[in-house]
Amino acid sequence: MVASYKRLFKLLIDREMKSKELAELAHISPATVAKMKKDGATVSSDVLVKICTALGCTMDDIIEIVPDKAQ
């Protein structure tokens, strides 16, 4: 099982927000947001909390656990 952040990027599209704006709002690096564009990327729970706080959402709104394609 791996983490997918497709929900996060769909939420950004729905809010017409760019990744760079999210990084600034959540006080995380743009490189971290870019890393999250790959399924299975590992980010700390602190980063996820910062994103949820900045967007006023829950973790269920930004992350989904999906089966690993290698299995």
Side-chain angles (χ1 to χ4, degrees):
M1 304 297 249
V2 295
S4 171
Y5 302 100
K6 289 179 183 171
R7 290 181 180 179
L8 169 62
F9 294 103
K10 182 180 180 324
L11 183 64
L12 293 182
I13 290 167
D14 291 346
R15 294 186 182 193
E16 297 181 356
M17 181 182 284
K18 298 197 179 299
S19 296
K20 183 179 178 183
E21 293 171 306
L22 172 63
E24 292 172 2
L25 188 63
H27 304 288
I28 59 176
S29 76
T32 299
V33 179
K35 175 181 162 181
M36 294 173 75
K37 291 183 179 180
K38 293 184 79 176
D39 284 349
T42 303
V43 295
S44 72
S45 58
D46 289 345
V47 167
L48 298 176
V49 169
K50 287 179 180 182
I51 291 171
C52 289
T53 301
L55 296 177
C57 66
T58 67
M59 294 229 190
D60 283 342
D61 296 325
I62 65 167
I63 189 171
E64 179 180 14
I65 305 302
V66 296
D68 190 349
K69 293 177 185 173
Q71 291 181 344

